[in-house]
């Protein structure tokens, strides 16, 4: 997407296809800093410390990590080891495993002298396919926003949680893709972006959308129920990190509470996700591994001082016990429909998406 007239993607292959470019998301929305990742170990660190983040993006980054590994060595055992290390970085988003496995399979299918070339080609394909999937999700979601606009005859109030925008994908986003498409087509929308403690991904969502001109207000997570109750929210749309085959959906911590509030207020709750987010091998949400992150994320707040310095401050006494689950699972019964690159499916219909994905 464009920021101040300049087009950005969240990840790119540098021209010679020997290195990978990313934005340092730890600094956003305050500073735009491009980084060059030169080794698979740098990719492991970037995913672990959330320099790159968001389910589809960490998948693409993982595939690029394997491509970087082929710059050093192309032996089977070595590459399988690297793939394991990449997958271990974050447990919840299935996109990471999906992309790393796809990349590994493509590389190992060919003889050693072709592996490096195939690795970079496949990394490029995976990046492009995520891009296409986001574009398709945008078209599907925009139809829903447009029909709500026709029904209501006024601006559509949309609540979103976390950052499922272009920063979390390659471009366009998942939850935000339809908002961009609808807005570009002249459909009046008003977005409420939950701030999403503790990592405040909502501030990135608000930055993304407002940079594009989309009307958006950042809200404290706890304000969402109040807004729903007071008629300001016509639909909720969130992304996903892993969707079990029964439709139970893991997404950023706090999503479940939003889904409960939406249900209580009769507001449709949509999950926008590419096919790569569906884990058909997992029967139900309870089986999704939930990442627990360092409690320091809850004990600290990071931001920009008036003099333009990034600073971190403590909000607790040293030694304060903390629990920091990074994701929760929303049961499929609270979800109105899944907006995917292959169409829109109610939870009881997602077997149709599986059939399409198997083809
Ligand atoms: O922990 P993060 O920032 O990597 O979280 C992942 C996400 O961005 C969200 O859960 C998002 O809603 C789904 S990914 C488009």
């Amino acid at each position: 997407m464009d920021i101040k007239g300049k087009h950005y993607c969240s990840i790119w292959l540098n021209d010679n296809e020997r290195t990978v470019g990313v934005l340092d998301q730890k600094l956003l929305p305050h500073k735009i800093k491009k980084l060059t990742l030169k080794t698979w170990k740098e990719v492991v660190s970037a995913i672990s410390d959330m320099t790159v983040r968001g389910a589809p993006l960490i998948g693409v980054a993982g595939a690029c990590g394997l491509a970087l590994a082929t710059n050093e060595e192309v032996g089977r055992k070595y590459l399988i080891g690297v793939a394991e290390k990449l997958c271990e970085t974050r447990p919840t988003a299935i996109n990471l495993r999906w992309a790393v496995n796809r990349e590994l399979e493509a590389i190992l299918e060919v003889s050693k002298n072709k592996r490096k070339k195939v690795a970079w080609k496949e990394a490029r394909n995976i990046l492009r396919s995520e891009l296409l999937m986001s574009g398709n999700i945008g078209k599907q979601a925009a139809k829903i926003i447009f029909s709500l606009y026709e029904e209501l005859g006024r601006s559509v109030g949309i609540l979103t949680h976390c950052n499922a925008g272009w920063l979390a994908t390659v471009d366009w986003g998942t939850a935000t893709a339809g908002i961009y498409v609808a807005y570009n087509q002249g459909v009046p929308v008003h977005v409420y972006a939950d701030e999403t403690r503790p990592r405040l991904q909502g501030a990135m969502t608000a930055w993304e959308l407002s940079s594009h001109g989309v009307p958006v207000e950042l809200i404290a997570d706890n304000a969402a129920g109040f807004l729903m109750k007071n008629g300001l929210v016509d639909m909720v749309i969130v992304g996903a990190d892993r969707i079990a085959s029964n439709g139970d959906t893991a997404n950023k911590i706090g999503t479940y509470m939003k889904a409960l509030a939406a249900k209580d207020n009769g507001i449709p709750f949509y999950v926008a996700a590419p096919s790569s987010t569906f884990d058909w091998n997992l029967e139900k949400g309870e089986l999704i591994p939930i990442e627990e992150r360092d409690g320091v994320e809850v004990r600290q707040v990071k931001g920009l001082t008036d003099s333009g310095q990034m600073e971190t401050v403590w909000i607790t006494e040293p030694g304060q016990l903390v629990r920091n689950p990074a994701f929760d699972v929303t049961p499929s019964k609270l979800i109105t429909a899944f907006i995917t690159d292959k169409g829109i499916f109610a939870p009881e219909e997602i077997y149709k998406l599986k059939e399409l994905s198997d083809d």
Side-chain angles (χ1 to χ4, degrees):
M1 297 297 291
D2 288 358
I3 304 289
K4 293 185 186 146
K6 208 168 159 218
H7 189 82
Y8 287 91
C9 283
S10 64
I11 192 164
W12 59 94
L13 304 183
N14 284 322
D15 281 343
N16 54 11
E17 294 200 340
R18 280 194 64 86
T19 62
V20 177
V22 295
L23 295 176
D24 185 347
Q25 300 207 16
K26 298 197 303 303
L27 303 178
L28 292 173
H30 308 297
K31 288 184 184 157
I32 301 180
K33 185 176 170 195
K34 292 180 181 175
L35 297 175
T36 302
L37 305 176
K38 299 191 187 79
T39 65
W40 68 268
K41 285 188 181 155
E42 287 178 1
V43 175
V44 165
S45 306
I47 298 175
S48 306
D49 72 6
M50 293 172 66
T51 297
V52 292
R53 44 146 301 280
L57 174 59
I58 62 173
V60 177
C64 291
L66 258 186
L68 285 169
T70 63
N71 289 349
E72 292 165 30
E73 215 181 303
V74 291
R76 184 183 189 89
K77 210 165 147 204
Y78 168 76
L79 292 172
I80 291 174
V82 172
E84 266 163 27
K85 290 273 177 276
L86 286 162
C87 288
E88 276 165 14
T89 50
R90 297 197 69 189
T92 302
I94 189 66
N95 311 62
L96 177 59
R97 274 147 204 79
W98 174 85
V100 168
N101 290 340
R102 175 173 155 179
E103 174 80 11
L104 184 66
E105 264 172 41
I107 300 172
L108 295 183
E109 224 167 59
V110 297
S111 55
K112 276 189 174 176
N113 61 339
K114 293 193 185 126
R115 282 185 183 161
K116 188 170 151 187
K117 196 164 175 216
V118 165
W120 285 102
K121 186 171 173 227
E122 190 62 7
R124 203 184 323 126
N125 289 342
I126 290 171
L127 190 151
R128 281 195 190 141
S129 75
E130 283 297 347
L131 195 60
L132 282 177
M133 286 194 274
S134 282
N136 287 341
I137 290 170
K139 287 181 204 149
Q140 302 293 336
K143 287 188 219 159
I144 296 176
I145 299 172
F146 187 68
S147 62
L148 258 177
Y149 168 57
E150 281 197 318
E151 184 189 320
L152 301 166
R154 56 155 173 80
S155 170
V156 181
I158 304 172
L159 181 91
T160 187
H161 187 73
C162 192
N163 172 260
W166 67 264
L167 292 165
T169 59
V170 176
D171 206 351
W172 291 97
T174 52
T176 58
I179 298 173
Y180 286 122
V181 174
Y183 174 81
N184 289 348
Q185 289 171 353
V187 179
V189 292
H190 190 95
V191 180
Y192 301 98
D194 294 337
E195 67 174 352
T196 319
R197 272 275 290 156
R199 294 292 296 234
L200 304 175
Q201 288 94 334
M204 295 190 203
T205 304
W207 173 72
E208 269 194 26
L209 290 166
S210 50
S211 303
H212 194 74
V214 179
V216 53
E217 286 175 295
L218 182 66
I219 59 167
D221 292 315
N222 294 333
F226 176 80
L227 299 190
M228 290 192 218
K229 187 99 186 139
N230 284 283
L232 295 171
V233 177
D234 302 303
M235 68 186 286
V236 181
I237 181 164
V238 297
D241 293 81
R242 190 185 302 220
I243 302 167
S245 58
N246 70 345
D248 292 350
T249 296
N251 191 49
K252 182 53 59 191
I253 193 74
T255 303
Y256 173 46
M257 279 165 40
K258 305 299 143 63
L260 285 171
K263 186 75 167 180
D264 192 45
N265 288 284
I267 296 167
F269 185 94
Y270 294 99
V271 172
S275 320
S276 52
T277 306
F278 288 77
D279 185 351
W280 302 114
N281 297 319
L282 221 57
E283 191 197 331
K284 53 184 179 175
E286 287 92 321
L287 300 171
I288 300 176
I290 298 296
E291 177 181 14
E292 288 264 351
R293 292 188 63 86
D294 196 321
V296 82
E297 292 183 343
V298 178
R299 296 179 53 225
Q300 292 182 332
V301 174
K302 194 170 153 190
L304 199 68
T305 63
D306 285 342
S307 58
Q309 298 302 309
M310 288 290 282
E311 262 187 29
T312 300
V313 294
W314 295 97
I315 60 165
T316 67
E317 287 290 296
Q320 174 63 55
L321 290 182
V322 165
R323 178 61 67 91
N324 187 18
F327 301 93
D328 59 26
V329 176
T330 299
S332 63
K333 65 178 180 193
L334 298 180
I335 295 167
T336 307
F338 296 91
I339 306 170
T340 78
D341 49 294
K342 297 193 164 79
I344 299 167
F345 302 89
E348 59 279 10
E349 288 173 341
I350 58 168
Y351 69 92
K352 293 184 189 163
L353 175 64
K354 180 175 178 343
E355 283 165 13
L356 288 172
S357 308
D358 287 345
D359 286 346

